[in-house]
């Protein structure tokens, strides 16, 4: 975690189904990025994956379903980010998000409507 000037970096990974390794698409990640503009985040960028293979034309490879979010370390801003992620998952009605902030990991998981109905039955 980078704590320069009161800033911290959070890594957000988006999954359709983490158990099978199916990640969100680049368009879905871009949608979350656009929604995050409502928060006063310092910077949102794609997460670099690994260096491109030798001889490739691309300088870097980016993970399509992961963002690095640089934000002030204010608790209210962190709470707002978590709320945005929860709401985004709720509206999608599927998937999960893993948020890593320093040594802390938070996993948010959406349950489908059918699963919610089953859980609501006593």
């Amino acid at each position: 975690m980078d704590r320069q000037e009161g800033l911290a970096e959070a890594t957000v990974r988006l999954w359709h189904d983490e158990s099978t390794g199916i990640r969100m698409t680049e368009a879905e990640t871009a949608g979350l990025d656009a929604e995050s503009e409502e928060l006063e985040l310092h910077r949102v960028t794609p997460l670099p994956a690994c260096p491109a293979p030798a001889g490739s034309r691309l300088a870097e490879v980016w993970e399509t379903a992961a963002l690095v979010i640089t934000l002030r370390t204010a608790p209210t801003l962190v709470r707002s980010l978590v709320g945005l992620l929860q709401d985004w998952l709720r509206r999608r009605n599927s998937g999960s998000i893993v948020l890593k902030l320093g040594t802390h990991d938070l996993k948010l998981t959406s349950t489908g409507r059918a699963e919610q109905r089953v859980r609501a039955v006593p």
Side-chain angles (χ1 to χ4, degrees):
M1 177 167 61
D2 178 15
R3 288 200 171 246
Q4 295 177 349
E5 301 175 27
L7 298 176
E9 283 189 352
T11 303
V12 177
R13 295 181 191 270
L14 307 140
W15 303 90
H16 274 298
D17 184 354
E18 191 175 2
S19 64
T20 60
I22 299 173
R23 294 179 175 211
M24 297 283 179
T25 66
E26 188 173 354
E28 290 168 311
T29 305
L32 178 59
D33 183 9
E35 287 189 39
S36 71
E37 290 177 5
E38 295 177 12
L39 301 177
E40 294 180 15
L41 303 173
H42 182 71
R43 180 177 53 239
V44 179
T45 58
L47 178 69
C50 57
S56 71
R57 294 183 182 172
L58 294 175
E60 293 186 74
V61 176
W62 301 93
E63 287 192 30
T64 58
L67 298 169
V68 176
I69 299 174
T70 307
L71 66 157
R72 289 188 328 274
T73 55
T76 54
L77 187 54
V78 174
R79 213 175 357 245
S80 295
L81 176 60
V82 171
L84 172 77
L85 298 174
Q86 288 174 319
D87 184 56
W88 190 79
L89 273 178
R90 182 189 52 75
R91 286 182 280 118
R92 293 192 46 72
N93 204 30
S94 67
S96 64
I97 293 177
V98 177
L99 171 67
K100 181 172 179 65
L101 182 61
T103 59
H104 303 285
D105 291 301
L106 176 64
K107 183 173 182 179
L108 306 169
T109 304
S110 175
T111 54
R113 292 175 196 240
E115 192 175 337
Q116 289 174 356
R117 275 187 242 124
V118 170
R119 288 185 181 178
V121 177

